[in-house]
Amino acid sequence: MNNFVYQNPTKIIFGKDTIGKIGEEIKNHNIKSVLILYGKGSIFKNGVYDKVVESLKANNIQFIEKGGVKPNPVLGFVRETVQLVKENKIEAILAIGGGSVIDSAKAIGAGAVYEGDIWDAFEGNVKLSDSLPIFSILTLSATGSEMNGYAVITNETENKKWAFTAGLSSYPKVSVIDPTVQFTLPKEQTVYGAIDALSHIFELYFDGTPETDLPDELAEGLIRTIIKNVKVLIEKPEDYNARANLAWSATLALNGIIAAGRNYGDWATHSIEHSISAFYDVAHGAGLAVIFPAWMSYNINLINDKLIRLGKNVFGQHISKAEETIKQLVEFYKSIGAPVKLTDFGIKETDLDKLADNAALQAPLGALRKLERDDIYRIYSIAYKGEY
């Protein structure tokens, strides 16, 4: 294992009937006004909005609202909301939703205290370290954004889906996770959320760091838990224990705990997928279901032993070849209704050059192996043909 520093400042409040605690938590940070940020409005149907408003009013916290965050959040919305926050002298952001809403909150929070354009930070032209305080109520477990400091936003005019952080200030101060509010999620959102969480674990598991036995054991336990419980939820979406186990696993997948001692992940696969969802507005988890097996196949000689270990410890001791692990993963994705080829999105072979050019804007990608434009194209080609 490598040397590491582990620090996570986010307070998690987890369990049934916990949403009503958010007002007191915000008040404890001496905050008197917040922006309530949300997506398409499901919070009005599942009762979350009413509970939040009641809690805020009980603690004398003023608020304004802004809805409309897209599943793949865009820069135009972020810029517009930054201005709203500045004009109303809002003191904090309360994100109610999944990773898209929380990521938007992080970009808005940092943009509200930065004099320039927040996209400067995504381009790497400026390193930010300050933000308005962020609070979150999680309604979809997938990205782990409720307990980390990263955000991904799409610049819709340039088709760039890139990430940024303002350091520790981008971590939510408090995140509330009540698994019961996820009972009514569509099956696809539960499935793609699980795949997103699995992909975060794979990025860390396969980054090439030597002698990571404890982090690997933690990672494999999370993988087994996610696979087990997403299968349960497909049949029983209101199974509380399955929701709770999946929700907490998704949080732990990217809160830094399994990254400690590693090279902090490869992340080439995420960058390669981002180009797909930037152009085609594909669900991030769906894109990862297609790209990660292709990345594994392309790098099989470098991760042969780790793939066999993963296969044995997740899919069964009968696994003896790396190819068998990839096959088992693809079959699992098929069994839960996930796509496994780029053609499932209507992407044509003639589109691969465009995707490779876009992903290569940030090349070289990855830590295990530095991927250039030709490598990226070959991975897209494997994903297009489904030759895993």
Side-chain angles (χ1 to χ4, degrees):
M1 289 173 60
N2 298 336
N3 293 358
F4 65 88
V5 173
Y6 178 67
Q7 180 179 3
N8 194 313
T10 301
K11 177 180 180 179
I12 296 290
I13 300 176
F14 189 101
K16 299 176 182 178
D17 302 320
T18 51
I19 292 173
K21 298 180 183 292
I22 192 63
E24 182 180 358
E25 292 293 332
I26 294 172
K27 183 179 179 179
N28 288 342
H29 284 78
N30 298 314
I31 291 167
K32 297 179 180 179
S33 65
V34 299
L35 169 71
I36 298 177
L37 189 70
Y38 58 91
K40 294 182 178 180
S42 62
I43 63 170
F44 298 101
K45 299 176 183 178
N46 59 20
V48 173
Y49 177 83
D50 291 339
K51 293 175 183 177
V52 169
V53 168
E54 181 181 358
S55 183
L56 294 179
K57 289 181 177 179
N59 288 277
N60 298 313
I61 297 168
Q62 302 297 313
F63 61 90
I64 60 173
E65 304 173 18
K66 179 71 171 176
V69 177
K70 295 181 178 180
N72 286 306
V74 296
L75 179 62
F77 181 93
V78 168
R79 285 171 170 161
E80 176 185 323
T81 311
V82 165
Q83 287 304 118
L84 177 68
V85 168
K86 288 181 176 180
E87 290 169 1
N88 287 274
K89 298 180 180 179
I90 294 297
E91 298 177 3
I93 315 294
L94 172 55
I96 310 176
S100 297
V101 178
I102 301 172
D103 282 13
S104 297
K106 292 174 183 178
I108 293 163
V113 298
Y114 174 54
E115 293 184 359
D117 181 7
I118 187 59
W119 190 250
D120 294 341
F122 288 85
E123 291 275 7
N125 297 328
V126 63
K127 186 175 181 180
L128 301 182
S129 60
D130 194 16
S131 171
L132 293 181
I134 308 297
F135 298 83
S136 81
I137 295 174
L138 187 68
T139 63
L140 170 60
S141 293
T143 68
S145 194
E146 67 276 7
M147 202 178 183
N148 68 49
Y150 295 92
V152 176
I153 298 292
T154 299
N155 182 328
E156 66 271 41
T157 62
E158 300 180 23
N159 294 117
K160 294 177 179 178
K161 186 176 180 180
W162 289 0
F164 103 107
T165 181
L168 290 177
S169 68
S170 284
Y171 283 72
K173 301 296 183 185
V174 178
S175 287
V176 177
I177 307 173
D178 181 345
T180 65
V181 306
Q182 300 189 41
F183 283 174
T184 57
L185 285 175
K187 171 190 168 184
E188 290 76 15
Q189 290 189 14
T190 297
V191 166
Y192 296 152
I195 294 171
D196 196 358
L198 288 172
S199 299
H200 294 152
I201 300 168
F202 294 151
E203 294 281 18
L204 296 160
Y205 191 84
F206 292 111
D207 74 356
T209 313
E211 299 180 357
T212 52
D213 193 48
L214 175 58
D216 286 348
E217 291 284 350
L218 294 172
E220 289 157 5
L222 289 173
I223 292 168
R224 289 193 299 269
T225 302
I226 292 168
I227 289 174
K228 173 185 176 181
N229 286 287
V230 73
K231 289 178 179 178
V232 172
L233 291 171
I234 288 173
E235 300 298 327
K236 301 176 181 179
E238 295 189 12
D239 186 305
Y240 179 79
N241 284 329
R243 283 286 176 197
N245 277 284
L246 179 59
W248 190 226
S249 295
T251 300
L252 294 178
L254 202 56
N255 76 341
I257 193 68
I258 64 170
R262 301 185 189 273
N263 294 331
Y264 294 102
D266 182 79
W267 301 111
T269 302
H270 270 68
S271 295
I272 293 170
E273 192 290 318
H274 284 165
S275 292
I276 296 172
S277 48
F279 279 107
Y280 299 97
D281 205 26
V282 168
H284 183 50
L288 289 169
V290 173
I291 295 299
F292 231 116
W295 179 91
M296 290 173 172
S297 295
Y298 188 70
N299 292 292
I300 195 165
N301 291 335
L302 297 176
I303 58 174
N304 183 80
D305 291 345
K306 287 298 288 279
L307 277 168
I308 294 173
R309 171 179 172 147
L310 178 72
K312 286 182 177 296
N313 292 340
V314 172
F315 296 113
Q317 290 298 311
H318 65 280
I319 299 292
S320 61
K321 295 181 180 179
E323 293 86 351
E324 294 178 64
T325 301
I326 300 173
K327 182 179 179 180
Q328 288 290 322
L329 180 64
V330 171
E331 289 303 313
F332 165 66
Y333 286 160
K334 287 181 181 178
S335 74
I336 60 174
V340 294
K341 294 193 295 184
L342 288 179
T343 52
D344 293 335
F345 305 132
I347 294 175
K348 300 177 182 177
E349 193 166 14
T350 52
D351 296 331
L352 302 189
D353 278 310
K354 175 181 69 175
L355 291 171
D357 289 342
N358 184 270
L361 291 173
Q362 293 186 299
L365 304 178
L368 174 74
R369 174 182 185 176
K370 299 297 183 182
L371 302 178
E372 300 291 350
R373 195 270 184 194
D374 288 347
D375 301 299
I376 296 166
Y377 180 88
R378 292 188 182 103
I379 291 171
Y380 282 132
S381 183
I382 293 170
Y384 176 79
K385 297 174 183 177
E387 296 177 344
Y388 307 125

